[in-house]
Amino acid sequence: MNIKSIAGSVVKMSESPKLQTSIHAFLSDLIDYAGLFPPANLSLETSIKNYKEFQICKDSWMLGRFIIPISQLNQLIPYVSMFSKERPLIISALGSRSNNKIEFLNSLHADLEIVRSFRNEYKRNIKIDICEIPLPPHIPDRALLQTITKTTDRRRLQTFCEATIPLDRDWESKILETLDIIAAHNNESDLLLGFKLRTGGVTAKAFPTSQQIATVLVGCRDRDIPVKFTAGLHHPIRMYREEVNTRMHGFLNVFTAGMLAHIKKLDIVSTVKILDDEKSKNFKFTDKGLQWHNLTVPTSEIIRLREKLLCSYGSCSFDEPREDLRALGIYSIEEEWR
């Protein structure tokens, strides 16, 4: 599976002509539902029933994949009949965490065997096409990346690697070295890898700074690495939240910053300014595209970047992002298009 062929695979954008509006291009299939994870921590039964309801709601076009640990796939068996070939359960499968290379490789092979078996048994109702793999907490080597791509490609999975490096003073240098190694691997292989960035959590210390996020956005831009995000992006615009005692990043900030970094070749300082902007009025969807101050991302570029390079984000809530978009006047139910 070649991540260069990401269009129509990682992002399931509809061919409807109404998709050409900038807000629909931006929001289409944007939110991967992660109700199983903190802070929601919902049961599997509740999460899967929520996802089913989201699939048929008026905002279903914003819904991406259902995120579930591979270790829990077989627990889905009682709920498989809720889905069909016409409306399958589309899954992004989350690999196991590990502390070292040997543990990682053992877990990887065991996890992918679970995926193979489960998918073969329930392929009429279930689609598993994305794998999110937490790397061991150190800089990976090329041999490890080659093993990941070969084994996941054998299972027809697009793969995003998450660096589990601690957010300390060495984080930036280790992340950039990790991106260098991923890029070197991708440049010499038809079996390519994306990068997954964790943008928050349930405590203040789990949130990377805007500088750190900008480092990844610009770093992936410079290396042509697709990126997806997880955690902490419940709200469109950056804001202070008492439940985590810190400022949470906004998904509108993050994706706008990533898009403008790509098409305007922004440096890290300029990218940070977009990430730090807490005024929703500065983000405007127009007939021409997405505008931030005097910078515009044309709709055609929004579509291209969402399909190929800025893929989606995981959220334990599908309601909060939509409610905030409406409260801010960015999107209203009348704009329904499917």
Side-chain angles (χ1 to χ4, degrees):
M1 183 72 69
N2 191 329
I3 212 162
K4 289 178 180 176
S5 303
I6 201 166
S9 178
V10 169
V11 178
K12 319 180 301 302
M13 287 199 169
S14 165
E15 295 179 358
S16 166
K18 291 185 179 180
L19 182 62
Q20 300 307 311
T21 63
S22 60
I23 191 167
H24 291 130
F26 187 95
L27 293 173
S28 182
D29 309 308
L30 182 70
I31 308 170
D32 292 331
Y33 182 55
L36 293 171
F37 298 87
N41 283 321
L42 300 177
S43 68
L44 179 58
E45 181 177 10
T46 299
S47 295
I48 202 66
K49 288 181 177 179
N50 284 348
Y51 188 82
K52 179 64 177 178
E53 291 180 4
F54 298 149
Q55 281 187 317
I56 59 176
C57 77
K58 291 184 177 181
D59 294 329
S60 62
W61 58 277
M62 298 184 195
L63 182 65
R65 289 160 175 78
F66 183 78
I67 301 179
I68 183 170
I70 294 172
S71 61
Q72 294 184 39
L73 275 180
N74 287 322
Q75 296 176 34
L76 282 173
I77 293 173
Y79 310 103
V80 169
S81 61
M82 294 168 54
F83 302 90
S84 65
K85 182 179 179 181
E86 293 71 30
R87 187 171 281 143
L89 172 60
I90 306 176
I91 289 174
S92 183
L94 181 60
S96 304
R97 289 187 174 268
S98 58
N99 295 313
N100 56 65
K101 186 174 180 178
I102 294 175
E103 184 180 320
F104 173 84
L105 291 173
N106 289 336
S107 295
L108 177 66
H109 292 296
D111 282 347
L112 293 181
E113 177 56 27
I114 292 172
V115 170
R116 184 201 64 78
S117 177
F118 186 83
R119 187 163 55 183
N120 286 349
E121 182 72 21
Y122 302 105
K123 58 187 175 183
R124 290 185 58 85
N125 306 67
I126 304 291
K127 180 180 179 182
I128 307 175
D129 57 355
I130 300 290
C131 188
E132 304 177 20
I133 298 181
L135 297 171
H138 52 72
I139 299 167
D141 57 48
R142 294 281 294 278
L144 184 69
L145 299 185
Q146 289 170 359
T147 299
I148 292 170
T149 52
K150 288 179 180 178
T151 53
T152 56
D153 181 68
R154 205 174 295 141
R155 303 288 181 242
R156 306 184 306 281
L157 295 166
Q158 301 270 356
T159 304
F160 290 81
C161 294
E162 177 188 351
T164 59
I165 297 167
L167 290 170
D168 56 24
R169 62 182 181 181
D170 296 323
W171 182 89
E172 182 174 333
S173 62
K174 290 180 179 178
I175 285 293
L176 290 175
E177 188 172 349
T178 298
L179 294 180
D180 281 340
I181 293 171
I182 292 174
H185 165 82
N186 287 352
N187 288 338
E188 297 180 8
S189 174
D190 289 332
L191 307 175
L192 309 183
L193 296 171
F195 186 77
K196 174 183 171 183
L197 176 64
R198 187 165 295 275
T199 46
V202 296
T203 62
K205 65 180 182 180
F207 285 78
T209 65
S210 296
Q211 172 85 16
Q212 289 170 322
I213 292 179
T215 296
V216 171
L217 291 175
V218 172
C220 288
R221 186 272 316 273
D222 291 343
R223 296 162 179 81
D224 204 28
I225 299 173
V227 60
K228 75 187 303 290
F229 309 89
T230 189
L233 296 179
H234 301 173
H235 307 284
I237 301 296
R238 178 179 168 87
M239 64 174 68
Y240 180 84
R241 301 291 298 188
E242 290 185 357
E243 66 266 30
V244 288
N245 195 32
T246 192
R247 280 176 164 76
M248 295 181 73
H249 301 288
F251 65 82
L252 186 52
N253 297 75
V254 169
F255 280 85
T256 301
M259 291 175 182
L260 286 171
H262 273 277
I263 68 170
K264 300 297 183 182
K265 306 302 181 186
L266 301 183
D267 59 16
I268 290 176
V269 173
S270 299
T271 304
V272 166
K273 290 180 181 178
I274 304 171
L275 293 169
D276 280 345
D277 193 343
E278 299 184 16
K279 295 182 179 179
S280 61
K281 66 180 182 179
N282 292 333
F283 299 82
K284 299 177 182 178
F285 290 97
T286 71
D287 293 338
K288 295 182 178 180
L290 168 60
Q291 183 177 348
W292 181 79
H293 287 287
N294 63 337
L295 301 178
T296 299
V297 186
T299 301
S300 60
E301 284 297 294
I302 297 174
I303 294 171
R304 181 184 71 85
L305 291 167
R306 283 290 328 285
E307 287 180 339
K308 295 181 179 296
L309 293 166
L310 295 162
C311 302
S312 64
Y313 77 94
S315 172
C316 69
S317 173
F318 187 61
D319 293 324
E320 281 185 283
R322 297 179 295 143
E323 291 167 357
D324 278 12
L325 286 169
R326 292 189 174 95
L328 293 171
I330 295 172
Y331 168 76
S332 64
I333 196 78
E334 287 75 19
E335 293 176 63
E336 172 197 352
W337 64 294
R338 278 190 184 176

